[in-house]
Coordinates of all heavy atoms in Angstrom, one line a residue:
S1 N -25.2 -7.3 30.7 CA -23.8 -7.2 30.6 C -23.2 -8.4 29.8 O -22.1 -8.8 30.1 CB -23.2 -7.2 32.0 OG -23.3 -8.4 32.6
K2 N -24.0 -8.9 28.8 CA -23.4 -10.0 28.1 C -22.6 -9.6 26.9 O -23.0 -8.7 26.1 CB -24.6 -11.0 27.7 CG -25.4 -10.4 26.6 CD -26.4 -11.5 26.1 CE -27.2 -10.9 25.0 NZ -28.2 -11.8 24.5
N3 N -21.4 -10.2 26.8 CA -20.6 -10.0 25.7 C -20.6 -11.3 24.8 O -20.8 -12.3 25.3 CB -19.1 -9.7 26.2 CG -18.9 -8.4 26.9 OD1 -19.4 -7.4 26.5 ND2 -18.3 -8.5 28.0
I4 N -20.4 -11.1 23.5 CA -20.4 -12.2 22.6 C -19.1 -12.2 21.8 O -18.7 -11.2 21.1 CB -21.6 -12.1 21.6 CG1 -22.9 -12.2 22.5 CG2 -21.6 -13.3 20.7 CD1 -24.1 -11.8 21.7
A5 N -18.5 -13.4 21.7 CA -17.3 -13.6 20.8 C -17.8 -14.7 19.9 O -17.8 -15.9 20.3 CB -16.0 -13.9 21.6
S6 N -18.2 -14.5 18.7 CA -18.8 -15.4 17.9 C -18.1 -16.0 16.6 O -18.7 -16.4 15.7 CB -20.2 -14.9 17.4 OG -20.0 -13.7 16.7
N7 N -16.7 -15.8 16.6 CA -16.0 -16.3 15.4 C -14.7 -17.0 15.9 O -14.2 -16.7 17.1 CB -15.8 -15.2 14.4 CG -15.7 -15.7 13.0 OD1 -15.2 -16.8 12.8 ND2 -16.1 -14.9 12.0
T8 N -14.0 -17.6 15.1 CA -12.8 -18.2 15.4 C -11.7 -17.3 15.9 O -11.5 -16.3 15.3 CB -12.2 -19.0 14.2 OG1 -13.2 -19.9 13.6 CG2 -10.9 -19.8 14.5
G9 N -11.2 -17.6 17.1 CA -10.2 -16.7 17.7 C -10.6 -15.3 18.2 O -9.9 -14.5 18.6
A10 N -12.0 -15.1 18.1 CA -12.5 -13.8 18.6 C -12.6 -13.8 20.1 O -12.7 -14.8 20.7 CB -13.9 -13.6 18.0
S11 N -12.4 -12.6 20.7 CA -12.5 -12.5 22.2 C -13.0 -11.2 22.7 O -12.8 -10.2 22.0 CB -11.0 -12.8 22.8 OG -10.2 -11.7 22.5
V12 N -13.6 -11.3 23.8 CA -14.1 -10.1 24.5 C -13.7 -10.2 26.0 O -14.0 -11.2 26.6 CB -15.6 -9.9 24.4 CG1 -16.1 -8.6 25.1 CG2 -16.1 -9.8 22.9
S13 N -13.1 -9.2 26.5 CA -12.6 -9.2 27.9 C -13.2 -8.0 28.6 O -12.8 -6.8 28.3 CB -11.1 -9.2 27.9 OG -10.6 -9.2 29.2
G14 N -14.0 -8.2 29.6 CA -14.6 -7.1 30.4 C -15.6 -6.3 29.6 O -16.0 -6.6 28.5
G15 N -16.0 -5.2 30.1 CA -17.0 -4.3 29.5 C -18.4 -5.0 29.5 O -18.7 -5.9 30.2
S16 N -19.2 -4.4 28.6 CA -20.6 -4.9 28.6 C -21.2 -4.7 27.2 O -21.0 -3.8 26.5 CB -21.4 -4.0 29.6 OG -22.7 -4.3 29.6
D17 N -22.0 -5.7 26.8 CA -22.8 -5.7 25.6 C -22.0 -5.5 24.4 O -22.5 -4.8 23.5 CB -24.0 -4.7 25.7 CG -24.9 -4.9 26.8 OD1 -25.2 -6.1 27.1 OD2 -25.4 -4.0 27.5
S18 N -20.8 -6.0 24.3 CA -19.9 -5.9 23.1 C -19.9 -7.2 22.4 O -20.2 -8.3 22.9 CB -18.5 -5.5 23.5 OG -18.5 -4.2 24.0
N19 N -19.6 -7.1 21.0 CA -19.7 -8.3 20.1 C -18.5 -8.2 19.2 O -18.3 -7.4 18.4 CB -21.0 -8.1 19.3 CG -21.4 -9.4 18.6 OD1 -20.6 -10.4 18.6 ND2 -22.5 -9.4 18.0
A20 N -17.6 -9.3 19.4 CA -16.5 -9.6 18.4 C -16.9 -10.6 17.5 O -17.1 -11.8 17.8 CB -15.3 -10.0 19.3
V21 N -17.2 -10.2 16.3 CA -17.7 -11.2 15.2 C -16.7 -11.5 14.1 O -16.8 -12.4 13.4 CB -19.0 -10.7 14.6 CG1 -20.1 -10.6 15.7 CG2 -18.9 -9.3 14.0
G22 N -15.7 -10.7 14.0 CA -14.7 -10.9 13.0 C -13.7 -12.0 13.4 O -13.5 -12.2 14.6
V23 N -13.1 -12.7 12.4 CA -12.1 -13.7 12.8 C -11.0 -13.1 13.5 O -10.4 -12.1 13.1 CB -11.6 -14.4 11.4 CG1 -10.4 -15.4 11.8 CG2 -12.7 -15.2 10.8
S24 N -10.6 -13.6 14.6 CA -9.5 -13.2 15.5 C -9.7 -11.7 15.9 O -8.7 -10.9 16.1 CB -8.1 -13.3 14.8 OG -7.9 -14.7 14.5
S25 N -10.9 -11.3 16.0 CA -11.1 -9.9 16.4 C -11.1 -9.8 17.9 O -11.3 -10.9 18.6 CB -12.5 -9.4 15.9 OG -13.6 -10.2 16.4
S26 N -10.9 -8.7 18.5 CA -10.9 -8.6 20.0 C -11.5 -7.3 20.5 O -11.3 -6.2 19.8 CB -9.5 -8.8 20.5 OG -8.7 -7.8 20.1
I27 N -12.1 -7.3 21.7 CA -12.6 -6.1 22.4 C -12.2 -6.2 23.8 O -12.3 -7.3 24.4 CB -14.1 -6.0 22.3 CG1 -14.5 -5.9 20.8 CG2 -14.6 -4.9 23.1 CD1 -16.0 -6.0 20.6
I28 N -11.6 -5.1 24.3 CA -11.2 -5.1 25.7 C -12.0 -3.9 26.3 O -11.8 -2.8 26.0 CB -9.7 -4.8 25.9 CG1 -8.9 -6.0 25.2 CG2 -9.3 -4.7 27.3 CD1 -7.4 -5.8 25.1
G29 N -12.9 -4.3 27.2 CA -13.7 -3.3 28.0 C -14.6 -2.5 27.0 O -14.9 -2.8 25.9
G30 N -15.2 -1.4 27.6 CA -16.1 -0.6 26.9 C -17.5 -1.1 26.9 O -17.8 -2.0 27.6
F31 N -18.4 -0.5 26.1 CA -19.8 -0.8 26.2 C -20.4 -0.7 24.8 O -20.2 0.3 24.0 CB -20.5 0.3 27.1 CG -22.0 0.1 27.2 CD1 -22.6 -0.9 27.8 CD2 -22.8 1.2 26.7 CE1 -23.9 -1.0 28.0 CE2 -24.2 1.0 26.8 CZ -24.7 -0.1 27.5
K32 N -21.1 -1.7 24.4 CA -21.8 -1.8 23.1 C -20.9 -1.5 21.9 O -21.2 -0.9 20.9 CB -23.0 -0.8 23.1 CG -24.2 -1.3 23.9 CD -25.4 -0.5 23.6 CE -26.5 -1.0 24.5 NZ -27.8 -0.2 24.3
N33 N -19.7 -2.2 21.9 CA -18.7 -2.0 20.8 C -18.9 -3.2 19.9 O -19.2 -4.3 20.4 CB -17.3 -1.9 21.3 CG -17.0 -0.6 22.0 OD1 -17.4 0.4 21.6 ND2 -16.4 -0.7 23.2
I34 N -18.6 -3.1 18.6 CA -18.6 -4.2 17.7 C -17.3 -4.3 16.9 O -16.9 -3.3 16.3 CB -19.8 -4.1 16.7 CG1 -21.1 -4.0 17.5 CG2 -19.7 -5.2 15.7 CD1 -22.3 -3.6 16.5
A35 N -16.6 -5.4 16.8 CA -15.4 -5.6 16.1 C -15.8 -6.7 15.0 O -15.8 -7.8 15.3 CB -14.3 -6.1 17.0
S36 N -16.2 -6.2 13.8 CA -16.6 -7.2 12.8 C -15.6 -7.4 11.7 O -15.7 -8.4 11.0 CB -17.9 -6.7 12.2 OG -17.7 -5.4 11.5
G37 N -14.6 -6.6 11.6 CA -13.5 -6.9 10.6 C -12.5 -8.0 11.1 O -12.3 -8.1 12.3
G38 N -12.0 -8.8 10.2 CA -11.0 -9.7 10.6 C -9.8 -9.1 11.2 O -9.3 -8.1 10.7
H39 N -9.4 -9.6 12.3 CA -8.3 -9.2 13.1 C -8.4 -7.7 13.5 O -7.4 -7.0 13.8 CB -7.0 -9.3 12.2 CG -6.8 -10.7 11.7 ND1 -6.3 -11.7 12.4 CD2 -7.1 -11.1 10.5 CE1 -6.2 -12.8 11.6 NE2 -6.8 -12.5 10.4
S40 N -9.6 -7.3 13.7 CA -9.9 -5.9 14.2 C -9.9 -5.9 15.7 O -10.1 -6.9 16.3 CB -11.2 -5.4 13.6 OG -12.3 -6.2 14.1
S41 N -9.8 -4.7 16.2 CA -9.7 -4.6 17.7 C -10.3 -3.3 18.2 O -10.2 -2.2 17.5 CB -8.3 -4.7 18.3 OG -7.5 -3.7 17.8
I42 N -10.9 -3.3 19.4 CA -11.4 -2.1 20.1 C -10.9 -2.2 21.5 O -11.1 -3.2 22.2 CB -12.9 -2.1 20.0 CG1 -13.4 -1.9 18.6 CG2 -13.4 -0.9 20.9 CD1 -14.9 -1.9 18.4
S43 N -10.4 -1.1 22.1 CA -10.0 -1.0 23.4 C -10.9 0.1 24.1 O -10.7 1.3 23.9 CB -8.6 -0.6 23.6 OG -7.7 -1.6 23.0
G44 N -11.8 -0.4 24.9 CA -12.7 0.6 25.6 C -13.6 1.4 24.7 O -13.9 1.1 23.5
G45 N -14.2 2.5 25.3 CA -15.1 3.4 24.5 C -16.5 2.9 24.6 O -16.9 2.0 25.3
F46 N -17.3 3.6 23.7 CA -18.8 3.4 23.7 C -19.4 3.4 22.3 O -19.1 4.3 21.6 CB -19.4 4.5 24.6 CG -20.9 4.6 24.6 CD1 -21.6 3.6 25.3 CD2 -21.6 5.6 23.9 CE1 -23.0 3.7 25.3 CE2 -23.0 5.6 23.9 CZ -23.7 4.6 24.6
Q47 N -20.0 2.3 22.0 CA -20.8 2.2 20.7 C -19.9 2.5 19.5 O -20.3 3.2 18.6 CB -22.0 3.0 20.7 CG -23.1 2.5 21.5 CD -24.4 3.3 21.4 OE1 -24.4 4.5 21.0 NE2 -25.5 2.7 21.7
S48 N -18.6 1.9 19.4 CA -17.8 2.1 18.3 C -17.8 0.8 17.5 O -18.2 -0.3 18.0 CB -16.4 2.4 18.8 OG -16.3 3.7 19.3
H49 N -17.4 0.9 16.2 CA -17.4 -0.2 15.3 C -16.1 -0.3 14.5 O -15.9 0.6 13.7 CB -18.7 -0.1 14.4 CG -19.0 -1.4 13.7 ND1 -20.2 -1.6 13.1 CD2 -18.3 -2.5 13.5 CE1 -20.2 -2.8 12.5 NE2 -19.1 -3.3 12.7
A50 N -15.4 -1.4 14.6 CA -14.2 -1.6 13.8 C -14.6 -2.6 12.7 O -14.8 -3.8 13.0 CB -13.1 -2.2 14.7
K51 N -14.9 -2.0 11.5 CA -15.4 -2.9 10.4 C -14.3 -3.4 9.5 O -14.5 -4.4 8.9 CB -16.4 -2.0 9.6 CG -17.6 -1.6 10.3 CD -18.5 -0.7 9.4 CE -19.7 -0.3 10.1 NZ -20.6 0.5 9.2
G52 N -13.3 -2.6 9.3 CA -12.2 -2.9 8.4 C -11.3 -4.0 8.8 O -11.1 -4.2 10.0
R53 N -10.8 -4.8 7.9 CA -9.8 -5.8 8.3 C -8.6 -5.1 8.9 O -8.1 -4.1 8.3 CB -9.5 -6.6 7.0 CG -8.7 -7.8 7.3 CD -8.7 -8.7 6.0 NE -7.8 -9.8 6.1 CZ -8.1 -11.0 6.6 NH1 -9.3 -11.2 7.1 NH2 -7.2 -12.0 6.6
Y54 N -8.1 -5.6 10.0 CA -7.0 -5.1 10.7 C -7.2 -3.6 11.2 O -6.3 -2.9 11.5 CB -5.7 -5.1 9.9 CG -5.3 -6.4 9.4 CD1 -5.4 -6.8 8.0 CD2 -4.8 -7.4 10.2 CE1 -5.1 -8.0 7.6 CE2 -4.5 -8.7 9.8 CZ -4.6 -9.0 8.5 OH -4.3 -10.3 8.0
S55 N -8.5 -3.3 11.4 CA -8.8 -1.9 11.9 C -8.7 -1.9 13.4 O -8.9 -2.9 14.0 CB -10.1 -1.4 11.3 OG -11.2 -2.3 11.8
S56 N -8.6 -0.7 13.9 CA -8.6 -0.6 15.4 C -9.2 0.8 15.9 O -9.1 1.8 15.2 CB -7.2 -0.8 15.9 OG -6.4 0.3 15.4
I57 N -9.7 0.7 17.1 CA -10.3 1.9 17.7 C -9.9 1.8 19.2 O -10.0 0.8 19.9 CB -11.8 1.9 17.6 CG1 -12.3 2.0 16.2 CG2 -12.4 3.1 18.5 CD1 -13.8 1.8 16.0
I58 N -9.4 3.0 19.7 CA -9.0 3.1 21.0 C -9.9 4.2 21.7 O -9.8 5.4 21.4 CB -7.6 3.5 21.2 CG1 -6.7 2.5 20.6 CG2 -7.2 3.7 22.6 CD1 -5.2 2.8 20.5
G59 N -10.8 3.7 22.5 CA -11.7 4.7 23.3 C -12.6 5.6 22.4 O -12.8 5.3 21.2
G60 N -13.2 6.5 23.0 CA -14.0 7.5 22.3 C -15.5 7.0 22.3 O -15.8 6.0 22.9
I61 N -16.3 7.7 21.6 CA -17.8 7.5 21.5 C -18.2 7.4 20.0 O -17.9 8.3 19.2 CB -18.5 8.6 22.2 CG1 -18.2 8.6 23.7 CG2 -20.0 8.4 22.1 CD1 -18.7 9.9 24.5
T62 N -18.9 6.4 19.7 CA -19.4 6.1 18.3 C -18.5 6.5 17.2 O -18.7 7.1 16.2 CB -20.8 6.9 18.1 OG1 -20.5 8.3 18.2 CG2 -21.9 6.5 19.0
N63 N -17.2 5.9 17.3 CA -16.2 6.0 16.3 C -16.3 4.8 15.4 O -16.7 3.7 15.8 CB -14.8 6.1 16.9 CG -14.6 7.4 17.6 OD1 -14.9 8.4 17.1 ND2 -14.0 7.3 18.8
T64 N -15.9 4.9 14.1 CA -16.0 3.8 13.1 C -14.7 3.8 12.3 O -14.2 4.8 11.9 CB -17.2 4.1 12.2 OG1 -18.3 4.2 12.9 CG2 -17.3 2.9 11.3
A65 N -14.1 2.6 12.2 CA -12.9 2.4 11.3 C -13.4 1.3 10.3 O -13.5 0.2 10.6 CB -11.8 1.8 12.2
T66 N -13.5 1.8 9.0 CA -14.0 1.0 7.9 C -12.9 0.6 7.0 O -13.0 -0.4 6.3 CB -15.2 1.6 7.2 OG1 -14.7 2.8 6.6 CG2 -16.3 1.8 8.1
G67 N -11.8 1.3 6.9 CA -10.8 1.0 5.9 C -9.9 -0.1 6.4 O -9.7 -0.4 7.6
H68 N -9.2 -0.8 5.4 CA -8.3 -1.9 5.7 C -7.1 -1.2 6.6 O -6.4 -0.3 6.1 CB -7.8 -2.4 4.4 CG -6.8 -3.6 4.5 ND1 -7.2 -4.8 4.4 CD2 -5.5 -3.6 4.8 CE1 -6.2 -5.6 4.6 NE2 -5.1 -4.9 4.8
G69 N -6.9 -1.7 7.8 CA -5.8 -1.1 8.6 C -6.1 0.3 9.1 O -5.2 1.0 9.6
A70 N -7.3 0.8 9.0 CA -7.7 2.1 9.6 C -7.7 2.1 11.0 O -8.0 1.1 11.7 CB -9.0 2.5 9.0
S71 N -7.6 3.3 11.6 CA -7.6 3.4 13.1 C -8.2 4.8 13.6 O -8.0 5.8 12.8 CB -6.2 3.2 13.7 OG -5.4 4.2 13.3
V72 N -8.9 4.7 14.7 CA -9.4 6.0 15.3 C -8.9 5.9 16.8 O -9.1 4.9 17.4 CB -10.9 6.0 15.2 CG1 -11.5 7.2 15.9 CG2 -11.4 6.0 13.8
S73 N -8.4 7.0 17.2 CA -8.0 7.2 18.6 C -8.9 8.2 19.3 O -8.6 9.4 19.1 CB -6.5 7.5 18.8 OG -5.8 6.6 18.1
G74 N -9.8 7.8 20.1 CA -10.7 8.7 20.9 C -11.5 9.6 20.1 O -11.7 9.4 18.9
G75 N -12.1 10.6 20.7 CA -13.0 11.6 20.1 C -14.4 11.1 20.0 O -14.8 10.1 20.7
Y76 N -15.2 11.8 19.2 CA -16.6 11.5 19.0 C -17.0 11.5 17.6 O -16.8 12.4 16.9 CB -17.3 12.7 19.8 CG -18.8 12.7 19.6 CD1 -19.6 11.8 20.2 CD2 -19.4 13.8 18.9 CE1 -21.0 11.8 20.0 CE2 -20.8 13.8 18.7 CZ -21.5 12.8 19.3 OH -22.9 12.9 19.1
R77 N -17.7 10.5 17.2 CA -18.2 10.3 15.9 C -17.2 10.5 14.7 O -17.4 11.2 13.8 CB -19.5 11.2 15.6 CG -20.7 10.7 16.3 CD -21.9 11.4 15.8 NE -23.1 10.9 16.5 CZ -24.3 11.5 16.3 NH1 -24.4 12.5 15.6 NH2 -25.2 11.0 17.0
N78 N -16.0 10.0 15.0 CA -15.0 10.0 13.9 C -15.0 8.8 13.0 O -15.4 7.7 13.5 CB -13.6 10.2 14.6 CG -13.5 11.5 15.3 OD1 -13.8 12.5 14.8 ND2 -12.9 11.4 16.6
T79 N -14.6 8.9 11.8 CA -14.6 7.8 10.9 C -13.3 7.8 10.1 O -12.9 8.8 9.4 CB -15.8 7.9 9.9 OG1 -17.0 8.0 10.6 CG2 -15.9 6.6 9.0
A80 N -12.6 6.6 10.1 CA -11.5 6.4 9.2 C -11.9 5.4 8.1 O -12.1 4.3 8.3 CB -10.4 5.8 10.0
V81 N -12.0 6.0 6.9 CA -12.6 5.3 5.8 C -11.5 4.6 4.9 O -11.7 3.5 4.5 CB -13.5 6.1 5.0 CG1 -14.1 5.4 3.7 CG2 -14.7 6.7 5.8
A82 N -10.5 5.4 4.6 CA -9.5 4.9 3.6 C -8.5 3.8 4.1 O -8.4 3.8 5.4 CB -8.7 6.1 3.0
K83 N -7.9 3.1 3.3 CA -6.9 2.2 3.6 C -5.8 2.8 4.5 O -5.3 3.9 4.1 CB -6.3 1.5 2.4 CG -5.3 0.4 2.7 CD -4.8 -0.2 1.5 CE -3.9 -1.4 1.8 NZ -3.4 -2.1 0.6
A84 N -5.5 2.3 5.6 CA -4.4 2.7 6.5 C -4.6 4.2 6.9 O -3.6 4.9 7.1 CB -3.0 2.5 5.9
S85 N -5.8 4.7 6.9 CA -6.1 6.1 7.4 C -6.2 6.1 8.9 O -6.5 5.1 9.5 CB -7.3 6.6 6.6 OG -8.4 5.9 7.1
A86 N -6.1 7.3 9.5 CA -6.2 7.4 10.9 C -6.9 8.7 11.2 O -6.7 9.7 10.6 CB -4.9 7.3 11.6
V87 N -7.7 8.7 12.3 CA -8.2 10.0 12.9 C -7.7 10.0 14.4 O -8.0 9.0 15.1 CB -9.7 10.0 12.8 CG1 -10.2 11.3 13.5 CG2 -10.2 10.0 11.4
A88 N -7.1 11.1 14.8 CA -6.6 11.2 16.2 C -7.5 12.1 16.9 O -7.2 13.4 16.9 CB -5.2 11.7 16.2
G89 N -8.5 11.6 17.6 CA -9.4 12.4 18.4 C -10.2 13.4 17.6 O -10.5 13.3 16.4
G90 N -10.8 14.4 18.3 CA -11.6 15.4 17.6 C -13.0 15.0 17.6 O -13.5 14.0 18.3
R91 N -13.8 15.7 16.8 CA -15.2 15.5 16.7 C -15.7 15.5 15.3 O -15.4 16.4 14.5 CB -15.9 16.6 17.4 CG -17.4 16.6 17.5 CD -17.9 17.7 18.4 NE -19.4 17.6 18.5 CZ -20.1 18.4 17.8 NH1 -19.6 19.3 17.0 NH2 -21.5 18.3 17.9
Q92 N -16.4 14.4 14.9 CA -17.1 14.3 13.6 C -16.1 14.5 12.4 O -16.4 15.2 11.4 CB -18.3 15.2 13.5 CG -19.4 14.8 14.5 CD -20.6 15.7 14.4 OE1 -20.5 16.9 14.2 NE2 -21.8 15.1 14.6
T93 N -14.9 13.9 12.6 CA -13.9 14.0 11.6 C -13.9 12.7 10.7 O -14.0 11.6 11.3 CB -12.5 14.2 12.2 OG1 -12.5 15.4 12.9 CG2 -11.4 14.3 11.1
K94 N -13.8 12.9 9.4 CA -13.8 11.7 8.5 C -12.5 11.8 7.6 O -12.2 12.8 7.1 CB -15.0 11.8 7.6 CG -15.2 10.6 6.6 CD -16.4 10.8 5.8 CE -17.2 9.5 5.7 NZ -18.4 9.6 4.9
N95 N -11.8 10.7 7.6 CA -10.6 10.6 6.8 C -10.8 9.7 5.6 O -11.0 8.5 5.8 CB -9.3 10.2 7.6 CG -8.1 10.4 6.9 OD1 -8.1 10.6 5.7 ND2 -7.0 10.2 7.6
I96 N -10.8 10.2 4.4 CA -11.0 9.4 3.2 C -9.7 9.3 2.4 O -9.8 8.8 1.3 CB -12.2 10.0 2.3 CG1 -11.8 11.5 1.9 CG2 -13.5 10.0 3.1 CD1 -12.8 12.1 0.9
R97 N -8.6 9.8 2.9 CA -7.3 9.8 2.2 C -6.5 8.7 2.8 O -6.1 8.6 4.0 CB -6.6 11.1 2.3 CG -7.4 12.2 1.7 CD -6.7 13.6 1.8 NE -5.4 13.5 1.2 CZ -4.4 14.3 1.4 NH1 -4.5 15.2 2.3 NH2 -3.3 14.1 0.8
P98 N -6.1 7.7 1.9 CA -5.2 6.6 2.3 C -3.9 7.1 2.9 O -3.4 8.1 2.5 CB -4.9 5.8 1.1 CG -6.0 6.2 0.1 CD -6.4 7.6 0.5
Y99 N -3.4 6.3 3.9 CA -2.2 6.5 4.5 C -1.9 7.9 5.1 O -0.8 8.5 5.0 CB -1.0 6.2 3.5 CG -1.1 4.9 2.9 CD1 -1.6 4.7 1.6 CD2 -0.7 3.8 3.6 CE1 -1.8 3.4 1.0 CE2 -0.8 2.5 3.0 CZ -1.4 2.3 1.8 OH -1.5 1.1 1.2
T100 N -2.9 8.5 5.6 CA -2.9 9.9 6.2 C -3.5 9.9 7.6 O -4.2 9.0 7.9 CB -3.6 11.0 5.4 OG1 -5.0 10.6 5.3 CG2 -3.0 11.0 4.0
I101 N -3.2 10.9 8.4 CA -3.7 11.1 9.8 C -4.4 12.4 9.8 O -3.8 13.4 9.3 CB -2.6 11.0 10.8 CG1 -1.9 9.7 10.8 CG2 -3.2 11.4 12.2 CD1 -0.8 9.6 11.8
R102 N -5.6 12.4 10.2 CA -6.3 13.7 10.4 C -6.4 14.0 11.9 O -6.8 13.1 12.7 CB -7.7 13.6 9.8 CG -7.7 13.6 8.4 CD -8.8 14.2 7.7 NE -9.2 15.5 8.1 CZ -10.4 16.0 7.9 NH1 -11.4 15.3 7.3 NH2 -10.7 17.2 8.3
P103 N -6.1 15.2 12.3 CA -6.1 15.5 13.7 C -7.6 15.8 14.2 O -8.4 16.0 13.3 CB -5.3 16.8 13.8 CG -5.3 17.4 12.5 CD -5.5 16.3 11.5

């Protein structure tokens, strides 16, 4: 159940086996999550990865936010790739269009 916060301003609160490696990144709860983008965040969920700067993930399973300011809310194996793109739940949805939301 070890969590790791390994960069300036990074934090992990609760959960298990999560890693906040981006500058000022944060993880709250969940299991095996990684926040590697600067100022990225993850709230709960399982094996998700917030890679993009200012990206965020809320819950779900194996979701990924790689775009600058991208976000994923719940669901399963969703990916927000483009800048400021979002995926709202669902399954195996990928958003490659900037400034859009895919249901």
Side-chain angles (χ1 to χ4, degrees):
S1 68
K2 71 175 184 188
N3 291 315
I4 299 168
S6 59
N7 209 327
T8 304
S11 66
V12 180
S13 176
S16 177
D17 298 323
S18 291
N19 195 351
V21 295
V23 172
S24 296
S25 62
S26 64
I27 297 174
I28 299 172
F31 179 66
K32 289 191 176 179
N33 291 314
I34 301 170
S36 62
H39 309 279
S40 62
S41 65
I42 297 178
S43 297
F46 174 73
Q47 288 187 335
S48 290
H49 194 165
K51 296 180 182 181
R53 191 166 172 86
Y54 302 107
S55 64
S56 64
I57 296 173
I58 300 172
I61 299 170
T62 59
N63 290 316
T64 306
T66 60
H68 184 98
S71 65
V72 177
S73 299
Y76 171 71
R77 283 195 182 169
N78 294 314
T79 307
V81 178
K83 182 176 184 177
S85 65
V87 177
R91 180 173 180 260
Q92 296 180 322
T93 300
K94 183 182 226 179
N95 191 349
I96 59 172
R97 297 181 58 202
Y99 306 102
T100 60
I101 297 173
R102 289 206 52 198

